[in-house]
Amino acid sequence: MLRCVILTEAGERWGMGHVSRCLAYATCLQEKGLAVEWRVAGDGAAAAFLGDKAGQHGTWWEEPRLLAVLDACTLAIVDSYHAPPEAYARVAASVPCCIWLDDEAR
């Protein structure tokens, strides 16, 4: 089974736009048979919004196991204002196909 990881952020201070947008992508991908795993930097508001899809919460770009997660995926969706450029480089080097959703065009 093909796997996708969604790397994003959301919370009471950041809003839920990133998670809402990624949820639409996740739904489409799951309908096509992909397994979707979430990593969300933020607070409990994102977990409450996502419910059973919540996945892992914390600062995903600092997660020690992130490389293992990335290596198991064929697709990554990154929707973040706060992730440092090094995190983008790590994702790009580990996952064959990446989708970057970045309103700031970094």
Side-chain angles (χ1 to χ4, degrees):
M1 174 180 279
L2 296 176
R3 295 176 54 127
C4 172
V5 63
I6 295 177
L7 305 164
T8 192
E9 58 208 23
E12 289 187 28
R13 294 183 316 151
W14 296 337
M16 297 304 227
H18 296 289
V19 171
S20 296
R21 181 165 46 194
C22 289
L23 188 55
Y25 284 106
T27 300
C28 290
L29 293 169
Q30 288 170 324
E31 288 173 358
K32 299 294 182 187
L34 276 80
V36 176
E37 188 169 340
W38 290 79
R39 294 293 191 272
V40 182
D43 55 32
F49 181 81
L50 286 169
D52 63 344
K53 298 172 187 64
Q56 193 89 1
H57 289 270
T59 308
W60 57 263
W61 54 87
E62 295 175 353
E63 182 184 333
R65 289 188 351 94
L66 183 61
L67 286 178
V69 171
L70 296 175
D71 286 343
C73 292
T74 53
L75 172 64
I77 298 174
V78 180
D79 191 351
S80 175
Y81 292 145
H82 300 287
E86 301 81 31
Y88 281 80
R90 193 173 327 130
V91 174
S94 301
V95 182
C97 184
C98 300
I99 297 172
W100 315 106
L101 305 170
D102 190 329
D103 297 337
E104 297 178 357
R106 293 179 294 153

